[in-house]
Amino acid sequence: MFRKLRIAILLFILATVAVGHWKSGARATAWNSTLHATVYPIAADASPLTRQTVAQLSADDFAPIGDWLQNEVTRHGRPLLRPLAIRLAPPVESLPPPYPTGGSSLSVAVWSLQLRYWAWRHDTAPGPRPDIRLFVLYHDPTIAPTLDHSLGLEKGLIGVVKVFAGRHARQRNAVVIAHELLHTLGATDKYDPLSALPRFPEGYAEPQRTPRHPQALAEIMGGRIPVDDRRATIPDTLEQTRIGPRTAVETGLTPPP
């Protein structure tokens, strides 16, 4: 009897969490009020450059993301004023649990729960919890010239974003942060995981362009600007990216066709 009661309580808790996540996600993609996102900066190494970058961050460093999203929301026919407000939290002095690369679906599910618990424990922002939490890990490029994939979780509206330290990387970092932010809102990747080339047509910002190549812009979830069938370049700024039709549907900006 006690075992059955314990299982019933656990199922009730899980159902409550699931309903809460569903409500949060539905509100986030309704686009009828401002979304509140908080950036939690983390120095991912002991490099002086990384520590200095994190210490010198300000909310203005992330303002271009809000401006870009405002333009894209307007372009897709939504009249919402200020769709995104971004705050900057004090630095987090802890690293999130590592993603189980190549792990089973069970290990990924366990990791997701661990991440949400870790995020709750290390929430350094005062006041009510934001709609979206973005834990941004800064790395010295001389120590880590390449970075593992960042992650954006729709369940929990949490992003773990890996970027480079240094002022020179600020604009490209904004592209990566915007990409993961849209993941939390339900957007899917639109590039081939092996070649990193955008998939046609959903990974192209202008799939109807004639001639098709070279493209001038990147679809934000496609990640790159297609130069030809075999080459694509990384956008330098958010101004070189767009939210494509498929991503707009996935995030609730436009209704399904």
Side-chain angles (χ1 to χ4, degrees):
M1 178 63 104
F2 177 74
R3 181 172 178 272
K4 290 181 178 179
L5 179 61
R6 185 173 59 183
I7 293 174
I9 293 173
L10 178 60
L11 290 174
F12 174 77
I13 293 173
L14 291 174
T16 302
V17 171
V19 170
H21 287 160
W22 177 82
K23 287 182 177 179
S24 297
R27 194 189 75 80
T29 55
W31 301 103
N32 53 21
S33 61
T34 300
L35 283 174
H36 294 271
T38 296
V39 170
Y40 302 80
I42 302 173
D45 55 52
S47 162
L49 172 64
T50 303
R51 299 287 174 176
Q52 182 183 41
T53 297
V54 170
Q56 293 179 346
L57 287 172
S58 72
D60 289 342
D61 291 316
F62 307 97
I65 301 173
D67 295 339
W68 169 81
L69 189 58
Q70 173 74 76
N71 292 335
E72 289 301 288
V73 167
T74 301
R75 193 172 63 85
H76 282 284
R78 291 281 188 163
L80 176 62
L81 181 65
R82 200 186 185 202
L84 180 68
I86 301 181
R87 287 197 309 159
L88 179 64
V92 175
E93 300 296 335
S94 175
L95 294 176
Y99 182 80
T101 305
S104 65
S105 56
L106 177 60
S107 63
V108 172
V110 171
W111 168 82
S112 176
L113 292 173
Q114 291 173 336
L115 176 64
R116 279 178 271 179
Y117 177 67
W118 175 89
W120 172 74
R121 285 192 59 203
H122 295 89
D123 194 333
T124 56
R129 200 181 84 175
D131 301 304
I132 302 170
R133 290 172 290 172
L134 300 170
F135 294 91
V136 182
L137 283 66
Y138 287 84
H139 301 74
D140 187 331
T142 63
I143 297 174
T146 60
L147 300 176
D148 294 335
H149 284 299
S150 300
L151 298 161
L153 300 183
E154 188 176 2
K155 292 182 178 179
L157 299 175
I158 297 174
V160 178
V161 191
K162 299 178 181 181
V163 299
F164 288 117
R167 301 295 294 179
H168 68 283
R170 181 177 57 177
Q171 295 194 66
R172 280 196 174 181
N173 288 348
V175 176
V176 178
I177 294 170
H179 177 100
E180 299 306 329
L181 183 147
L182 290 182
H183 267 316
T184 70
L185 300 178
T188 60
D189 284 324
K190 294 171 180 64
Y191 59 84
D192 183 283
L194 297 179
S195 67
L197 292 174
R199 298 196 307 266
F200 182 83
E202 66 270 21
Y204 280 53
E206 299 175 299
Q208 306 304 322
R209 185 183 178 94
T210 303
R212 182 183 300 175
H213 298 109
Q215 293 272 310
L217 303 166
E219 204 285 336
I220 186 67
M221 304 309 294
R224 295 174 185 248
I225 305 171
V227 176
D228 54 37
D229 288 332
R230 298 184 179 181
R231 292 182 300 146
T233 60
I234 299 173
D236 292 319
T237 70
L238 275 172
E239 293 178 352
Q240 294 178 301
T241 70
R242 295 289 184 272
I243 293 177
R246 181 74 62 85
T247 300
V249 170
E250 291 172 341
T251 57
L253 276 176
T254 59

